[in-house]
Every structure is written in C-alpha cells, then in structure tokens.
C-alpha cells in the first residue's frame, strides 16, 4: 500500500510501507539464517533467522523526500512541498514461510513549504509511531490489518506560531482514538493555521 499522503499522513494513517519490498534484501552469515526471498511476502531490507516453528525477520525502510509536492490534500494557500526523513524499523513473524504478524516503530522529521525549492517560511513536522499488524490470511497482503498502535505522536509547529497540530494517543484497529487526538484529515481551522504560518 502507498502512503495516504507522502510523508506525514502515511504514518498517521497506515505505517505499512514496510509491507513492500524497498531496496535489496540481505542475509546473515550466522547459523540459522534464512533467505528473505523465500518468504511470502518478501520482507524489505531484512535479516531473517529460524526461531523454532517460525521465522523472525528484522527489517527497515528509509525514505527521504526533497521538495516533494503533496497532492493528496489541499490548502487554501497552495500546494505543500515536503522535505523529510522517514525511517521504519520492523520485526516480522512467519509461519510456514508466510507472514502472520508485524511490529513497526517509525519516525518522521521534516518541513513543509509553499515553495517548490523548500524556501522559507516553513513549518516543522515530526512523528513517532508504534504499530502492530496481523494477517488474517497468512502471507496475503490484502488481509493485513493494523490491530493497534501506541506511542503515536505527530506534530506540526512553526516559529512564532507554536504547535499548530498535535496528535497523540492509541489508535485501535477500528480507528478509535484514545488520549489526546487531532482530527484527520485536517480541519478548516488547522488548514488556516498552517497557511498563516506558511505565508507569514
């Protein structure tokens, strides 16, 4: 699955980029090492090992954006261009070489600008997420379900404006938020505040 919005919204809604094969996979030379390419689906950037009746893989995904236009949501003041660094570190569990469960801890740091060159003024974006996923049909990505997420923290801020948006708390599989949360997609009030910071 692709991220809902390049960069930031991806992690708010679905931190599932690690379900795709990004970059090349590697194997460990240690005893019990498993070739990731023999697993379904193939884990990204993985080191895998036998663990009794299952295979456990450590994975990671890194994505860097430079002045990338975000077209998945509109602001009244124009197109947002994102420059950011995303990293997701995951652990996957496979039974009979089919994935059954995954945990991902991810972080995002960057800026938004109305300029295609990333010129100021900008707002800062940051996020940290921890998400558990299960496959109701082992190995079939179309059946992957996020069962819970915790430690969620997504923030938009700007000098002179302080924190414009702060989303924290636990998100259940049905989308229910627990704790302090913000409304997604952005409310008109949040959009107006972001525009004010980006046009000051």
């Amino acid at each position: 699955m692709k991220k809902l919005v390049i960069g930031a919204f991806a992690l708010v809604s679905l931190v599932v980029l690690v379900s795709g094969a990004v970059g090349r996979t590697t194997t460990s030379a240690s005893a019990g090492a498993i070739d990731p390419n023999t697993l379904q689906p193939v884990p990204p950037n993985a080191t895998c090992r036998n663990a009794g009746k299952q295979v456990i893989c450590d994975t990671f995904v890194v994505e860097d954006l430079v002045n990338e236009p975000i077209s998945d949501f509109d602001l009244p003041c124009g197109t947002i261009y994102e420059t950011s660094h995303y990293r997701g570190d995951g652990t996957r569990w496979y039974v009979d070489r089919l994935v059954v469960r995954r945990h991902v801890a991810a972080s995002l740091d960057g800026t938004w600008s109305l300029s295609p060159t990333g010129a100021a003024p900008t707002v800062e974006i940051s996020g940290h997420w921890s998400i558990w996923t299960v496959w109701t049909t082992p190995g079939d990505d179309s059946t992957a379900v996020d069962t819970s997420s915790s430690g969620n923290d997504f923030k938009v801020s700007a000098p002179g404006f302080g924190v414009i948006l702060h989303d924290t708390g636990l998100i259940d599989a049905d989308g229910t938020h627990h704790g302090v949360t913000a409304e997604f997609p952005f409310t008109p009030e949040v959009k107006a505040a972001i525009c004010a910071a980006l046009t000051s």
Side-chain angles (χ1 to χ4, degrees), residues 9-54:
F9 279 118
L11 303 174
V12 174
S13 305
L14 308 167
V15 185
V16 295
L17 190 61
V18 285
S19 66
V22 177
R24 61 181 182 182
T25 57
T26 60
T27 58
S28 169
S30 63
I34 298 293
D35 181 356
N37 294 298
T38 65
L39 304 174
Q40 176 68 34
V42 176
N45 304 307
T47 300
C48 303
R49 62 194 180 278
N50 270 316
K53 295 183 177 180
Q54 61 186 347

mmCIF file of all heavy atoms in Angstrom, residues 9-54:
data_model
loop_
_atom_site.group_PDB
_atom_site.id
_atom_site.type_symbol
_atom_site.label_atom_id
_atom_site.label_comp_id
_atom_site.label_asym_id
_atom_site.label_seq_id
_atom_site.Cartn_x
_atom_site.Cartn_y
_atom_site.Cartn_z
ATOM 1 N N PHE A 9 1.196 11.972 6.443
ATOM 2 C CA PHE A 9 -0.041 11.242 6.652
ATOM 3 C C PHE A 9 0.151 9.745 6.575
ATOM 4 O O PHE A 9 -0.613 8.980 7.106
ATOM 5 C CB PHE A 9 -1.109 11.648 5.635
ATOM 6 C CG PHE A 9 -1.788 12.911 6.006
ATOM 7 C CD1 PHE A 9 -1.702 14.013 5.189
ATOM 8 C CD2 PHE A 9 -2.490 13.010 7.184
ATOM 9 C CE1 PHE A 9 -2.316 15.186 5.527
ATOM 10 C CE2 PHE A 9 -3.110 14.184 7.528
ATOM 11 C CZ PHE A 9 -3.021 15.268 6.694
ATOM 12 N N ALA A 10 1.189 9.352 5.887
ATOM 13 C CA ALA A 10 1.465 7.936 5.771
ATOM 14 C C ALA A 10 1.551 7.295 7.125
ATOM 15 O O ALA A 10 1.034 6.222 7.347
ATOM 16 C CB ALA A 10 2.798 7.769 5.086
ATOM 17 N N LEU A 11 2.235 7.963 8.010
ATOM 18 C CA LEU A 11 2.499 7.401 9.314
ATOM 19 C C LEU A 11 1.331 7.595 10.247
ATOM 20 O O LEU A 11 1.172 6.864 11.215
ATOM 21 C CB LEU A 11 3.758 8.060 9.884
ATOM 22 C CG LEU A 11 4.933 7.883 8.945
ATOM 23 C CD1 LEU A 11 6.139 8.657 9.425
ATOM 24 C CD2 LEU A 11 5.271 6.430 8.814
ATOM 25 N N VAL A 12 0.525 8.600 9.993
ATOM 26 C CA VAL A 12 -0.649 8.799 10.824
ATOM 27 C C VAL A 12 -1.682 7.739 10.535
ATOM 28 O O VAL A 12 -2.318 7.205 11.441
ATOM 29 C CB VAL A 12 -1.259 10.193 10.560
ATOM 30 C CG1 VAL A 12 -2.560 10.370 11.314
ATOM 31 C CG2 VAL A 12 -0.263 11.268 10.948
ATOM 32 N N SER A 13 -1.869 7.411 9.275
ATOM 33 C CA SER A 13 -2.949 6.518 8.892
ATOM 34 C C SER A 13 -2.520 5.066 8.801
ATOM 35 O O SER A 13 -3.135 4.201 9.380
ATOM 36 C CB SER A 13 -3.530 6.940 7.543
ATOM 37 O OG SER A 13 -3.919 8.280 7.597
ATOM 38 N N LEU A 14 -1.488 4.809 8.041
ATOM 39 C CA LEU A 14 -1.057 3.430 7.826
ATOM 40 C C LEU A 14 0.450 3.393 7.707
ATOM 41 O O LEU A 14 0.973 3.841 6.730
ATOM 42 C CB LEU A 14 -1.626 2.869 6.511
ATOM 43 C CG LEU A 14 -3.100 2.979 6.269
ATOM 44 C CD1 LEU A 14 -3.396 2.669 4.813
ATOM 45 C CD2 LEU A 14 -3.828 1.981 7.134
ATOM 46 N N VAL A 15 1.132 2.878 8.667
ATOM 47 C CA VAL A 15 2.578 2.744 8.520
ATOM 48 C C VAL A 15 2.812 1.362 7.951
ATOM 49 O O VAL A 15 3.121 0.426 8.663
ATOM 50 C CB VAL A 15 3.328 2.923 9.837
ATOM 51 C CG1 VAL A 15 4.817 2.906 9.618
ATOM 52 C CG2 VAL A 15 2.922 4.222 10.486
ATOM 53 N N VAL A 16 2.592 1.277 6.654
ATOM 54 C CA VAL A 16 2.634 -0.035 6.039
ATOM 55 C C VAL A 16 3.627 -0.109 4.895
ATOM 56 O O VAL A 16 3.647 -1.084 4.165
ATOM 57 C CB VAL A 16 1.235 -0.462 5.516
ATOM 58 C CG1 VAL A 16 0.285 -0.620 6.666
ATOM 59 C CG2 VAL A 16 0.706 0.521 4.493
ATOM 60 N N LEU A 17 4.434 0.909 4.739
ATOM 61 C CA LEU A 17 5.405 0.852 3.665
ATOM 62 C C LEU A 17 6.310 -0.355 3.806
ATOM 63 O O LEU A 17 6.767 -0.911 2.825
ATOM 64 C CB LEU A 17 6.242 2.133 3.651
ATOM 65 C CG LEU A 17 7.150 2.322 2.442
ATOM 66 C CD1 LEU A 17 6.332 2.383 1.172
ATOM 67 C CD2 LEU A 17 7.991 3.548 2.604
ATOM 68 N N VAL A 18 6.526 -0.793 5.056
ATOM 69 C CA VAL A 18 7.409 -1.936 5.254
ATOM 70 C C VAL A 18 6.809 -3.223 4.720
ATOM 71 O O VAL A 18 7.475 -4.243 4.682
ATOM 72 C CB VAL A 18 7.775 -2.118 6.742
ATOM 73 C CG1 VAL A 18 8.771 -1.087 7.170
ATOM 74 C CG2 VAL A 18 6.558 -2.131 7.608
ATOM 75 N N SER A 19 5.553 -3.210 4.269
ATOM 76 C CA SER A 19 4.989 -4.414 3.676
ATOM 77 C C SER A 19 5.452 -4.596 2.241
ATOM 78 O O SER A 19 5.282 -5.646 1.652
ATOM 79 C CB SER A 19 3.451 -4.378 3.728
ATOM 80 O OG SER A 19 2.978 -3.341 2.901
ATOM 81 N N GLY A 20 6.055 -3.525 1.647
ATOM 82 C CA GLY A 20 6.553 -3.619 0.290
ATOM 83 C C GLY A 20 8.039 -3.891 0.291
ATOM 84 O O GLY A 20 8.732 -3.625 1.252
ATOM 85 N N ALA A 21 8.552 -4.374 -0.801
ATOM 86 C CA ALA A 21 9.980 -4.645 -0.887
ATOM 87 C C ALA A 21 10.675 -3.385 -1.363
ATOM 88 O O ALA A 21 10.583 -3.011 -2.508
ATOM 89 C CB ALA A 21 10.245 -5.798 -1.841
ATOM 90 N N VAL A 22 11.365 -2.705 -0.462
ATOM 91 C CA VAL A 22 12.081 -1.493 -0.793
ATOM 92 C C VAL A 22 13.561 -1.784 -0.657
ATOM 93 O O VAL A 22 14.023 -2.214 0.385
ATOM 94 C CB VAL A 22 11.679 -0.335 0.146
ATOM 95 C CG1 VAL A 22 12.501 0.896 -0.170
ATOM 96 C CG2 VAL A 22 10.199 -0.054 0.020
ATOM 97 N N GLY A 23 14.300 -1.536 -1.711
ATOM 98 C CA GLY A 23 15.725 -1.818 -1.654
ATOM 99 C C GLY A 23 15.979 -3.308 -1.770
ATOM 100 O O GLY A 23 15.090 -4.116 -1.954
ATOM 101 N N ARG A 24 17.213 -3.700 -1.611
ATOM 102 C CA ARG A 24 17.532 -5.109 -1.743
ATOM 103 C C ARG A 24 17.541 -5.784 -0.386
ATOM 104 O O ARG A 24 17.794 -5.164 0.629
ATOM 105 C CB ARG A 24 18.886 -5.277 -2.419
ATOM 106 C CG ARG A 24 20.000 -4.649 -1.655
ATOM 107 C CD ARG A 24 21.310 -4.817 -2.359
ATOM 108 N NE ARG A 24 22.314 -4.208 -1.497
ATOM 109 C CZ ARG A 24 23.580 -4.128 -1.792
ATOM 110 N NH1 ARG A 24 24.026 -4.608 -2.909
ATOM 111 N NH2 ARG A 24 24.415 -3.564 -0.953
ATOM 112 N N THR A 25 17.284 -7.074 -0.379
ATOM 113 C CA THR A 25 17.294 -7.827 0.862
ATOM 114 C C THR A 25 18.678 -8.421 1.069
ATOM 115 O O THR A 25 19.434 -8.620 0.132
ATOM 116 C CB THR A 25 16.241 -8.949 0.827
ATOM 117 O OG1 THR A 25 16.506 -9.776 -0.307
ATOM 118 C CG2 THR A 25 14.846 -8.371 0.741
ATOM 119 N N THR A 26 18.985 -8.672 2.339
ATOM 120 C CA THR A 26 20.288 -9.234 2.674
ATOM 121 C C THR A 26 20.101 -10.417 3.594
ATOM 122 O O THR A 26 19.090 -10.559 4.256
ATOM 123 C CB THR A 26 21.175 -8.195 3.370
ATOM 124 O OG1 THR A 26 20.512 -7.776 4.559
ATOM 125 C CG2 THR A 26 21.428 -6.985 2.479
ATOM 126 N N THR A 27 21.081 -11.281 3.645
ATOM 127 C CA THR A 27 21.023 -12.427 4.539
ATOM 128 C C THR A 27 22.213 -12.406 5.465
ATOM 129 O O THR A 27 23.260 -11.838 5.166
ATOM 130 C CB THR A 27 21.038 -13.754 3.737
ATOM 131 O OG1 THR A 27 22.214 -13.785 2.950
ATOM 132 C CG2 THR A 27 19.806 -13.877 2.864
ATOM 133 N N SER A 28 22.046 -13.016 6.619
ATOM 134 C CA SER A 28 23.119 -13.099 7.602
ATOM 135 C C SER A 28 23.931 -14.364 7.370
ATOM 136 O O SER A 28 23.404 -15.384 6.939
ATOM 137 C CB SER A 28 22.512 -13.107 9.009
ATOM 138 O OG SER A 28 23.501 -13.442 9.947
ATOM 139 N N ALA A 29 25.207 -14.283 7.707
ATOM 140 C CA ALA A 29 26.061 -15.458 7.550
ATOM 141 C C ALA A 29 25.991 -16.360 8.778
ATOM 142 O O ALA A 29 26.582 -17.426 8.799
ATOM 143 C CB ALA A 29 27.502 -15.001 7.323
ATOM 144 N N SER A 30 25.253 -15.944 9.797
ATOM 145 C CA SER A 30 25.210 -16.728 11.025
ATOM 146 C C SER A 30 24.356 -17.977 10.845
ATOM 147 O O SER A 30 23.562 -18.087 9.914
ATOM 148 C CB SER A 30 24.643 -15.872 12.160
ATOM 149 O OG SER A 30 23.315 -15.496 11.867
ATOM 150 N N ALA A 31 24.526 -18.912 11.773
ATOM 151 C CA ALA A 31 23.767 -20.158 11.732
ATOM 152 C C ALA A 31 22.283 -19.857 11.857
ATOM 153 O O ALA A 31 21.865 -18.985 12.609
ATOM 154 C CB ALA A 31 24.220 -21.067 12.867
ATOM 155 N N GLY A 32 21.470 -20.612 11.116
ATOM 156 C CA GLY A 32 20.027 -20.448 11.180
ATOM 157 C C GLY A 32 19.497 -19.329 10.304
ATOM 158 O O GLY A 32 18.314 -19.010 10.352
ATOM 159 N N ALA A 33 20.377 -18.688 9.511
ATOM 160 C CA ALA A 33 19.942 -17.606 8.642
ATOM 161 C C ALA A 33 19.003 -18.138 7.564
ATOM 162 O O ALA A 33 19.162 -19.254 7.067
ATOM 163 C CB ALA A 33 21.143 -16.921 8.004
ATOM 164 N N ILE A 34 18.005 -17.324 7.225
ATOM 165 C CA ILE A 34 17.008 -17.665 6.215
ATOM 166 C C ILE A 34 17.077 -16.635 5.099
ATOM 167 O O ILE A 34 17.171 -15.429 5.358
ATOM 168 C CB ILE A 34 15.586 -17.672 6.823
ATOM 169 C CG1 ILE A 34 15.462 -18.725 7.910
ATOM 170 C CG2 ILE A 34 14.526 -17.864 5.756
ATOM 171 C CD1 ILE A 34 15.551 -20.146 7.421
ATOM 172 N N ASP A 35 16.997 -17.085 3.854
ATOM 173 C CA ASP A 35 16.961 -16.181 2.713
ATOM 174 C C ASP A 35 15.604 -15.481 2.691
ATOM 175 O O ASP A 35 14.569 -16.134 2.536
ATOM 176 C CB ASP A 35 17.165 -16.979 1.428
ATOM 177 C CG ASP A 35 17.163 -16.104 0.183
ATOM 178 O OD1 ASP A 35 16.918 -14.875 0.296
ATOM 179 O OD2 ASP A 35 17.394 -16.653 -0.910
ATOM 180 N N PRO A 36 15.558 -14.150 2.838
ATOM 181 C CA PRO A 36 14.273 -13.444 2.844
ATOM 182 C C PRO A 36 13.457 -13.651 1.578
ATOM 183 O O PRO A 36 12.223 -13.571 1.605
ATOM 184 C CB PRO A 36 14.686 -11.969 2.998
ATOM 185 C CG PRO A 36 16.053 -12.004 3.582
ATOM 186 C CD PRO A 36 16.691 -13.255 3.040
ATOM 187 N N ASN A 37 14.134 -13.933 0.464
ATOM 188 C CA ASN A 37 13.433 -14.114 -0.809
ATOM 189 C C ASN A 37 12.600 -15.389 -0.847
ATOM 190 O O ASN A 37 11.814 -15.581 -1.770
ATOM 191 C CB ASN A 37 14.432 -14.096 -1.960
ATOM 192 C CG ASN A 37 15.083 -12.736 -2.108
ATOM 193 O OD1 ASN A 37 14.409 -11.739 -2.367
ATOM 194 N ND2 ASN A 37 16.392 -12.683 -1.913
ATOM 195 N N THR A 38 12.754 -16.247 0.163
ATOM 196 C CA THR A 38 11.946 -17.472 0.212
ATOM 197 C C THR A 38 10.669 -17.272 1.025
ATOM 198 O O THR A 38 9.911 -18.223 1.220
ATOM 199 C CB THR A 38 12.760 -18.624 0.831
ATOM 200 O OG1 THR A 38 13.057 -18.314 2.210
ATOM 201 C CG2 THR A 38 14.054 -18.856 0.059
ATOM 202 N N LEU A 39 10.436 -16.045 1.507
ATOM 203 C CA LEU A 39 9.282 -15.765 2.357
ATOM 204 C C LEU A 39 8.199 -15.044 1.566
ATOM 205 O O LEU A 39 8.467 -14.361 0.586
ATOM 206 C CB LEU A 39 9.714 -14.928 3.561
ATOM 207 C CG LEU A 39 10.838 -15.537 4.414
ATOM 208 C CD1 LEU A 39 11.271 -14.555 5.485
ATOM 209 C CD2 LEU A 39 10.399 -16.855 5.026
ATOM 210 N N GLN A 40 6.958 -15.180 2.038
ATOM 211 C CA GLN A 40 5.810 -14.572 1.369
ATOM 212 C C GLN A 40 5.053 -13.663 2.339
ATOM 213 O O GLN A 40 4.540 -14.148 3.351
ATOM 214 C CB GLN A 40 4.860 -15.669 0.863
ATOM 215 C CG GLN A 40 3.586 -15.157 0.233
ATOM 216 C CD GLN A 40 3.813 -14.442 -1.074
ATOM 217 O OE1 GLN A 40 4.691 -14.797 -1.834
ATOM 218 N NE2 GLN A 40 3.021 -13.427 -1.332
ATOM 219 N N PRO A 41 4.947 -12.355 2.050
ATOM 220 C CA PRO A 41 5.699 -11.623 1.028
ATOM 221 C C PRO A 41 7.141 -11.410 1.466
ATOM 222 O O PRO A 41 7.463 -11.535 2.647
ATOM 223 C CB PRO A 41 4.941 -10.292 0.940
ATOM 224 C CG PRO A 41 4.383 -10.103 2.310
ATOM 225 C CD PRO A 41 4.019 -11.480 2.793
ATOM 226 N N VAL A 42 7.984 -11.064 0.498
ATOM 227 C CA VAL A 42 9.402 -10.838 0.795
ATOM 228 C C VAL A 42 9.522 -9.589 1.660
ATOM 229 O O VAL A 42 8.998 -8.526 1.308
ATOM 230 C CB VAL A 42 10.203 -10.663 -0.512
ATOM 231 C CG1 VAL A 42 11.651 -10.325 -0.204
ATOM 232 C CG2 VAL A 42 10.102 -11.935 -1.355
ATOM 233 N N PRO A 43 10.181 -9.685 2.816
ATOM 234 C CA PRO A 43 10.334 -8.512 3.682
ATOM 235 C C PRO A 43 11.397 -7.564 3.146
ATOM 236 O O PRO A 43 12.357 -7.993 2.508
ATOM 237 C CB PRO A 43 10.761 -9.133 5.020
ATOM 238 C CG PRO A 43 11.472 -10.385 4.619
ATOM 239 C CD PRO A 43 10.781 -10.899 3.387
ATOM 240 N N PRO A 44 11.245 -6.250 3.404
ATOM 241 C CA PRO A 44 12.216 -5.278 2.890
ATOM 242 C C PRO A 44 13.474 -5.209 3.749
ATOM 243 O O PRO A 44 13.403 -5.222 4.974
ATOM 244 C CB PRO A 44 11.448 -3.949 2.966
ATOM 245 C CG PRO A 44 10.508 -4.142 4.114
ATOM 246 C CD PRO A 44 10.110 -5.597 4.082
ATOM 247 N N ASN A 45 14.617 -5.153 3.100
ATOM 248 C CA ASN A 45 15.903 -4.942 3.796
ATOM 249 C C ASN A 45 16.010 -5.812 5.037
ATOM 250 O O ASN A 45 16.247 -5.325 6.140
ATOM 251 C CB ASN A 45 16.048 -3.465 4.178
ATOM 252 C CG ASN A 45 15.927 -2.547 2.978
ATOM 253 O OD1 ASN A 45 16.622 -2.713 1.992
ATOM 254 N ND2 ASN A 45 15.033 -1.585 3.062
ATOM 255 N N ALA A 46 15.844 -7.108 4.863
ATOM 256 C CA ALA A 46 15.642 -7.996 6.010
ATOM 257 C C ALA A 46 16.834 -8.887 6.314
ATOM 258 O O ALA A 46 17.569 -9.312 5.427
ATOM 259 C CB ALA A 46 14.417 -8.868 5.763
ATOM 260 N N THR A 47 16.993 -9.168 7.602
ATOM 261 C CA THR A 47 17.847 -10.229 8.103
ATOM 262 C C THR A 47 16.922 -11.185 8.839
ATOM 263 O O THR A 47 16.243 -10.792 9.793
ATOM 264 C CB THR A 47 18.915 -9.675 9.068
ATOM 265 O OG1 THR A 47 19.723 -8.721 8.367
ATOM 266 C CG2 THR A 47 19.792 -10.789 9.600
ATOM 267 N N CYS A 48 16.869 -12.443 8.388
ATOM 268 C CA CYS A 48 15.890 -13.407 8.904
ATOM 269 C C CYS A 48 16.595 -14.623 9.499
ATOM 270 O O CYS A 48 17.672 -15.015 9.057
ATOM 271 C CB CYS A 48 14.948 -13.850 7.788
ATOM 272 S SG CYS A 48 14.070 -12.483 6.980
ATOM 273 N N ARG A 49 15.922 -15.237 10.492
ATOM 274 C CA ARG A 49 16.508 -16.388 11.174
ATOM 275 C C ARG A 49 15.427 -17.372 11.595
ATOM 276 O O ARG A 49 14.278 -16.982 11.844
ATOM 277 C CB ARG A 49 17.282 -15.918 12.410
ATOM 278 C CG ARG A 49 16.395 -15.219 13.445
ATOM 279 C CD ARG A 49 17.202 -14.481 14.488
ATOM 280 N NE ARG A 49 16.366 -13.817 15.483
ATOM 281 C CZ ARG A 49 15.789 -12.649 15.321
ATOM 282 N NH1 ARG A 49 15.925 -12.002 14.175
ATOM 283 N NH2 ARG A 49 15.052 -12.115 16.281
ATOM 284 N N ASN A 50 15.816 -18.630 11.705
ATOM 285 C CA ASN A 50 14.928 -19.649 12.247
ATOM 286 C C ASN A 50 14.727 -19.408 13.726
ATOM 287 O O ASN A 50 15.667 -19.062 14.446
ATOM 288 C CB ASN A 50 15.531 -21.046 12.051
ATOM 289 C CG ASN A 50 15.119 -21.660 10.725
ATOM 290 O OD1 ASN A 50 13.960 -21.579 10.342
ATOM 291 N ND2 ASN A 50 16.081 -22.258 10.038
ATOM 292 N N ALA A 51 13.499 -19.604 14.199
ATOM 293 C CA ALA A 51 13.200 -19.474 15.626
ATOM 294 C C ALA A 51 12.154 -20.525 15.972
ATOM 295 O O ALA A 51 10.977 -20.227 16.140
ATOM 296 C CB ALA A 51 12.699 -18.079 15.960
ATOM 297 N N GLY A 52 12.584 -21.771 16.036
ATOM 298 C CA GLY A 52 11.656 -22.861 16.322
ATOM 299 C C GLY A 52 10.727 -23.115 15.145
ATOM 300 O O GLY A 52 11.178 -23.387 14.032
ATOM 301 N N LYS A 53 9.417 -22.963 15.370
ATOM 302 C CA LYS A 53 8.430 -23.230 14.316
ATOM 303 C C LYS A 53 8.119 -21.996 13.478
ATOM 304 O O LYS A 53 7.187 -22.013 12.676
ATOM 305 C CB LYS A 53 7.145 -23.760 14.938
ATOM 306 C CG LYS A 53 7.320 -25.115 15.619
ATOM 307 C CD LYS A 53 6.003 -25.637 16.145
ATOM 308 C CE LYS A 53 6.182 -27.018 16.762
ATOM 309 N NZ LYS A 53 4.906 -27.561 17.292
ATOM 310 N N GLN A 54 8.881 -20.946 13.690
ATOM 311 C CA GLN A 54 8.638 -19.738 12.919
ATOM 312 C C GLN A 54 9.955 -19.126 12.446
ATOM 313 O O GLN A 54 11.029 -19.529 12.874
ATOM 314 C CB GLN A 54 7.866 -18.718 13.763
ATOM 315 C CG GLN A 54 8.601 -18.282 15.021
ATOM 316 C CD GLN A 54 7.755 -17.379 15.912
ATOM 317 O OE1 GLN A 54 6.721 -16.873 15.502
ATOM 318 N NE2 GLN A 54 8.202 -17.174 17.131
#
